């Protein structure tokens, strides 16, 4: 095995993450280079210069003494940063148009679903019932986006283009045309008080863990046209308290939720979230990473790095995203 090899560490049973699918793509994107899928392929730990990972097990990355760069195969890096033995080398994350567009599709689809009362209409159809309700314009609905990074900003801009009143919240203040930008914990309350549909696109960090809980839901606007606040979380499950979500749906603090991510994944079949009429669930696939796009993205970065160029989208470990 020659130096400069790439190790693939994919720890997910989901179809999109089938390791052989990714190994084939990487072998095509990096011709002539050793690409091994661990644990299936034999490998020499000393020859591994690069690791491309999705939810690697803690301690796995420490097995490569010559590792130069870790490429996370998704946008969120919480699974890598939580490994106490992770090597101190640059960690690159995904930030590409393909993933951004997929997430915006998801956010727009679910915002529209709540705004256009689609669950009510599906219920009417199931009962063969012709019973239109009053429908308000998008301009009557205030959407608030938690996180104005690569994903939050694009989704916010698209929602604004559809006519919603859009605001966003981040650590550092942004300036986005037509979008009200709030920053820091001091402005979170004001942001929440003007929000009917809350979209969460935050990373999971010690600062954001458990943010989506009862105290926050109680601060959302109660006077919007939807009849109560709605929450859409496509960030990470660790951002939400599922017991609080169920309680708040039951007692009317929340009108409905869309959840793509969960405290424990896959979501336990016994969870009451599956059966709650006000809950819409997707299996953490709001924005899948595409093997063709991402293998080319990683291959391009490796070649650039080896030619003396700089890596893009390197994670700031102190911030945690
Ligand atoms: P990003 O570009 O790093 O943006 C993160 C945003 O969150 C930034 O605007 C940042 O503020 C803000 N933020 C972070 N900590 C905060 C805090 N304590 N208070 C207020 N704002 C805070 O990340 P991204 O590419 O948009 O991705 C966001 C997350 O989406 C990922 O980390 C991942 O967990 C999730 N994701 C989920 C899926 C899925 O399929 N469900 C797919 C992809 C990504 P500043 O801009 O001021 O730093
Ligand atoms: C998916 O969850 C990602 O972080 O890209």
């Amino acid at each position: 095995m020659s130096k400069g090899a790439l190790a693939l560490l994919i720890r997910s049973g989901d179809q999109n993450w089938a390791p052989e699918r990714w190994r084939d793509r990487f072998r095509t994107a990096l011709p002539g280079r050793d690409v091994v899928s661990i644990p299936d392929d034999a490998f020499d730990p000393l020859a591994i210069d690069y690791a491309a990972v999705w939810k690697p097990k803690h301690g796995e990355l420490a097995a490569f003494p010559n590792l130069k760069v870790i490429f996370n195969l998704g946008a969120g890096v919480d699974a890598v940063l939580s490994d106490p033995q992770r090597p101190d080398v640059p960690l690159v994350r995904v930030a590409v148009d393909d993933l951004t567009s997929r997430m915006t599709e998801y956010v727009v689809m679910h915002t529209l679903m709540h705004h256009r009362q689609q669950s009510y209409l599906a219920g009417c159809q199931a009962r063969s019932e012709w019973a239109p309700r009053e429908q308000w314009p998008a301009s009557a609905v205030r959407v608030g986006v938690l996180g104005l990074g690569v994903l939050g900003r694009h989704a916010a801009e698209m929602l604004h283009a559809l006519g919603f009143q859009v605001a966003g919240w981040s650590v550092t203040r942004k300036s986005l045309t037509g979008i009200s930008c709030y920053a820091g914990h001091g402005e979170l309350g004001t942001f929440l008080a003007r929000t009917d549909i809350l979209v969460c696109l935050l990373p999971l960090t010690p600062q954001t863990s458990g943010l989506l809980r009862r105290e926050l839901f109680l601060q959302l606007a109660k006077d919007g046209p939807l009849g109560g606040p709605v929450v859409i979380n496509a960030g990470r499950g660790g951002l939400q308290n599922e017991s609080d979500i169920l309680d708040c749906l039951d007692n009317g603090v929340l009108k409905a939720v869309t959840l793509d991510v969960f405290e424990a994944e896959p979501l336990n079949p016994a969870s009451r979230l599956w059966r709650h009429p006000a809950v819409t669930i997707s299996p953490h696939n709001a924005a899948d990473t595409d093997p063709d796009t991402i293998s080319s993205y990683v291959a391009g970065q490796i070649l650039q790095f080896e030619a003396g160029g700089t890596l893009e989208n390197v994670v700031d470990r102190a911030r945690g995203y």
Side-chain angles (χ1 to χ4, degrees):
M1 203 174 172
S2 51
K3 278 187 70 65
L6 171 74
L8 270 173
L9 293 154
I10 293 178
R11 297 285 175 259
S12 167
D14 297 351
Q15 208 178 20
N16 185 48
W17 291 109
E20 58 282 3
R21 187 172 178 228
W22 283 85
R23 183 180 50 194
D24 291 350
R25 299 304 203 287
F26 272 111
R27 285 183 175 164
T28 305
L30 288 165
R33 189 176 298 254
D34 286 318
V35 176
V36 291
S37 172
I38 293 170
D40 297 336
D41 300 330
F43 69 100
D44 170 8
L46 297 175
I48 305 295
D49 280 7
Y50 307 103
V53 307
W54 184 240
K55 298 183 181 169
K57 288 188 194 145
H58 285 188
E60 273 188 314
L61 287 163
F64 312 127
N66 295 320
L67 195 65
K68 294 188 173 63
V69 185
I70 302 166
F71 294 95
N72 188 58
L73 295 174
V77 290
D78 43 291
V80 178
L81 292 184
S82 64
D83 177 358
Q85 296 174 63
R86 71 176 184 273
D88 188 16
V89 299
L91 168 61
V92 171
R93 74 187 192 98
V94 168
V96 296
D97 291 349
D98 174 79
L99 185 130
T100 304
S101 303
R102 290 169 191 241
M103 181 57 87
T104 294
E105 287 172 7
Y106 182 88
V107 169
V108 169
M109 176 175 79
H110 286 277
T111 302
L112 289 174
M113 185 192 82
H114 294 292
H115 158 58
R116 296 302 304 247
Q117 310 178 78
Q118 186 53 36
S119 299
Y120 164 75
L121 295 173
C124 290
Q125 182 173 349
R127 297 186 297 277
S128 307
E129 191 180 316
W130 185 277
R133 274 182 178 167
E134 180 204 340
Q135 182 61 53
W136 49 84
S139 59
V141 179
R142 298 160 292 182
V143 184
V145 182
L146 290 169
L148 284 176
V150 174
L151 303 181
R153 175 187 174 142
H154 192 258
E157 289 177 337
M158 209 58 88
L159 292 165
H160 168 65
L162 286 172
F164 291 101
Q165 296 177 52
V166 184
W169 184 69
S170 50
V171 176
T172 53
R173 190 176 310 286
K174 313 296 179 206
S175 174
L176 302 175
T177 306
I179 295 167
S180 309
C181 296
Y182 296 82
H185 270 273
E187 297 182 9
L188 180 59
T190 316
F191 164 82
L192 295 170
R194 53 73 60 208
T195 294
D196 301 312
I197 299 181
L198 183 71
V199 175
C200 179
L201 290 173
L202 288 168
L204 178 61
T205 68
Q207 290 71 39
T208 62
S209 176
L211 187 74
L212 300 178
R213 58 178 182 272
R214 185 187 328 270
E215 292 83 342
L216 180 143
F217 302 145
L218 284 165
Q219 296 176 64
L220 290 163
K222 297 168 189 65
D223 57 350
L226 283 75
V230 165
V231 173
I232 299 172
N233 183 18
R236 280 288 182 268
L239 291 158
Q240 73 202 14
N241 181 317
E242 288 164 16
S243 158
D244 280 6
I245 289 176
L246 282 164
D247 284 353
C248 289
L249 288 169
D250 289 343
N251 64 24
V253 170
L254 290 176
K255 165 96 176 171
V257 298
T258 288
L259 304 175
D260 182 58
V261 287
F262 300 89
E263 288 174 21
E265 296 179 5
L267 181 61
N268 191 322
S271 169
R272 200 158 68 81
L273 287 169
W274 284 111
R275 293 174 297 282
H276 199 292
V279 178
T280 302
I281 285 176
S282 51
H284 197 148
N285 73 340
D288 273 349
T289 45
D290 172 61
D292 288 321
T293 309
I294 303 309
S295 56
S296 302
Y297 165 79
V298 170
Q301 291 239 40
I302 289 176
L303 299 178
Q304 194 170 305
F305 177 70
E306 291 181 345
T310 48
L311 295 163
E312 291 160 25
N313 303 313
V314 175
V315 170
D316 179 334
R317 286 174 188 244
R319 286 190 325 182
Y321 62 95

